């Protein structure tokens, strides 16, 4: 077995069973903090949702529109601390945006949302994203992982249609589209497809729904991970047939993301159950969510994967050549030991040739 294959197996294990639960723990904790700070403060849930949306979208807009200034400002400061603070603030903003979209959708749809309404909304959101050539921006861990060691371009947040800052009006509009449209439709697709799974995966049996969601989700993500190289080769083959290339990549990412959403449903249920069974109190105050929020981020930062929490900018479907549009990295240890892996695999190949 080649060294790269061994590292891929180990990385997949850590990605699925350590980093993914930690990311979900951070989401659980951040939801609890948002509820504590915002939703419990305002008497109107609609007002709370709007405030949460404004904060989340404002931070996302700032780090996208002023990314060049941020890059220049950070150059004279320690990358480690600045990058982690950047990840923390932007991750919180992403979750605020998501939480607000969820609340606004629930306010619009009302109690007892029908399965068909959720399914129609999920498909409408993804079809609009495909029409905008923005479908690539919906997937997440454990299908894709970001390691916190790439200082070059760390603060880059490309706008969807990639207008340069030298064209201020178009750049401003492009940033608005990226933040307010792409990063609203993406969460809307996740939320409503998650509701579809809630209604279809053993909705009357919590434990069975959790277990089946975890197993089916991880198997689905594993299947699409194994399929990735073949789809990448097909994407390369159709580099000059842009319509076929986009269709191929979009369908692949759609399927992989459905597996990710199902995984998040199952793991999220497990995280919520553990938090309820083992609460943390300071006096009479339940601070489980606060601890989950802080401890998970610290652990992800120590493991150099806090970037996996963050969504920023947007890539246009079909704009990447050589199959990059479906090349989602899942390398962790393989990232740090790339030189060793390459030398080891070259030695194995040389030995085979001399036999």
């Amino acid at each position: 077995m080649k060294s790269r294959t061994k590292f891929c197996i180990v990385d997949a294990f850590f990605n699925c069973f350590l980093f993914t639960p930690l990311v979900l723990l951070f989401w659980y904790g951040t939801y609890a903090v948002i509820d504590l700070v915002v939703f419990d403060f305002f008497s109107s849930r609609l007002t709370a949702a709007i405030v949460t949306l404004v904060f989340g979208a404002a931070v996302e807009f700032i780090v996208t529109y002023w990314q060049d200034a941020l890059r220049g400002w950070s150059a004279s400061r320690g990358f480690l601390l600045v990058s982690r603070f950047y990840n923390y603030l932007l991750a919180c903003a992403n979750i605020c945006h998501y939480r607000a979209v969820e609340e606004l959708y629930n306010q619009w749809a009302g109690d007892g949302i029908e399965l068909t309404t959720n399914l129609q909304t999920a498909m409408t959101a993804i079809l609009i994203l495909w029409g905008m050539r923005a479908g690539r921006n919906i997937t997440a861990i454990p299908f894709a992982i970001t390691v916190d060691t790439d200082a070059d371009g760390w603060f880059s947040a490309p706008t969807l249609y990639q207008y340069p800052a030298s064209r201020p009006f178009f750049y401003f509009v492009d940033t608005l589209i990226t933040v307010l449209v792409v990063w609203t439709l993406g969460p809307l697709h996740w939320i409503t497809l998650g509701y579809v799974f809630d209604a279809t995966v053993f909705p009357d049996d919590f434990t069975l729904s959790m277990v089946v969601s975890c197993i089916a989700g991880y198997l689905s993500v594993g299947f699409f991970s194994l399929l990735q190289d073949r789809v990448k080769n097909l994407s390369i083959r159709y580099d000059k047939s842009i319509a076929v290339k986009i269709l191929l990549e979009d369908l692949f990412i759609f399927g992989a993301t459905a597996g990710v959403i199902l995984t998040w449903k199952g793991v999220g249920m497990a995280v919520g159950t553990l938090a309820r069974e083992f609460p943390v109190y300071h006096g009479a105050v339940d601070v489980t969510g606060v601890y989950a929020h802080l401890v998970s981020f610290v652990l992800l930062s120590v493991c150099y994967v806090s970037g996996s929490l963050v969504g920023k900018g947007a890539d246009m479907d079909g704009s990447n050549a050589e199959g990059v549009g479906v090349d989602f990295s899942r390398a962790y240890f393989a990232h740090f030991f790339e030189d060793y892996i390459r030398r080891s695999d070259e030695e194995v190949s040389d030995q085979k040739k001399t036999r």
Side-chain angles (χ1 to χ4, degrees), residues 98-158:
Y98 186 102
R99 179 72 178 89
V101 171
E102 180 182 50
E103 183 63 33
L104 292 171
Y105 176 74
N106 291 341
Q107 291 271 341
W108 170 78
D111 296 330
I113 308 172
E114 294 184 359
L115 173 63
T116 53
T117 301
N118 289 321
L119 187 58
Q120 288 169 358
T121 305
M123 294 311 300
T124 300
I126 194 62
L127 286 171
I128 294 173
L129 286 170
W130 286 345
M132 296 172 64
R133 292 182 62 181
R136 186 180 187 273
N137 303 286
I138 61 172
T139 197
I141 195 168
F143 187 68
I145 188 172
T146 302
V147 180
D148 303 343
T149 56
D150 185 10
D152 294 332
W154 185 260
F155 301 100
S156 174

Side-chain angles (χ1 to χ4, degrees), residues 262-339:
L262 190 55
T263 304
W264 278 48
K265 166 181 160 56
V267 178
M269 294 170 73
V271 168
T273 300
L274 288 173
R276 288 189 297 272
E277 292 293 326
F278 303 100
V280 179
Y281 286 93
H282 274 184
V285 180
D286 186 348
V287 292
T288 309
V290 176
Y291 271 79
H293 173 80
L294 295 175
V295 171
S296 58
F297 184 79
V298 169
L299 290 175
L300 288 166
S301 296
V302 169
C303 293
Y304 280 74
V305 288
S306 65
S308 298
L309 291 166
V310 170
K312 58 180 178 178
D315 291 324
M316 185 188 294
D317 298 344
S319 63
N320 297 299
E322 299 299 321
V324 174
V326 290
D327 189 9
F328 294 93
S329 175
R330 297 176 305 283
Y332 179 63
F333 289 108
H335 178 92
F336 297 107
F337 293 95
E338 178 61 34
D339 291 340

Side-chain angles (χ1 to χ4, degrees), residues 95-226:
I95 297 172
C96 282
H97 196 151
Y98 186 102
R99 179 72 178 89
V101 171
E102 180 182 50
E103 183 63 33
L104 292 171
Y105 176 74
N106 291 341
Q107 291 271 341
W108 170 78
D111 296 330
I113 308 172
E114 294 184 359
L115 173 63
T116 53
T117 301
N118 289 321
L119 187 58
Q120 288 169 358
T121 305
M123 294 311 300
T124 300
I126 194 62
L127 286 171
I128 294 173
L129 286 170
W130 286 345
M132 296 172 64
R133 292 182 62 181
R136 186 180 187 273
N137 303 286
I138 61 172
T139 197
I141 195 168
F143 187 68
I145 188 172
T146 302
V147 180
D148 303 343
T149 56
D150 185 10
D152 294 332
W154 185 260
F155 301 100
S156 174
T159 54
L160 179 61
Y161 299 113
Q162 300 178 2
Y163 280 98
S166 58
R167 303 181 68 183
F169 174 76
F170 292 100
Y171 181 61
F172 177 80
V173 173
D174 198 6
T175 304
L176 284 179
I177 291 172
T178 301
V179 171
L180 296 181
V181 182
V182 175
W183 286 107
T184 295
L185 289 173
L188 184 61
H189 174 72
W190 269 64
I191 291 160
T192 49
L193 191 56
Y195 286 167
V196 170
F197 289 141
D198 287 342
T200 55
V201 183
F202 301 102
D204 298 324
D205 190 324
F206 181 90
T207 302
L208 186 59
S209 179
M210 177 180 66
V211 172
V212 170
S213 295
C214 285
I215 294 173
Y218 277 128
L219 287 175
S220 177
V221 170
F223 170 76
F224 281 96
S225 296
L226 292 173

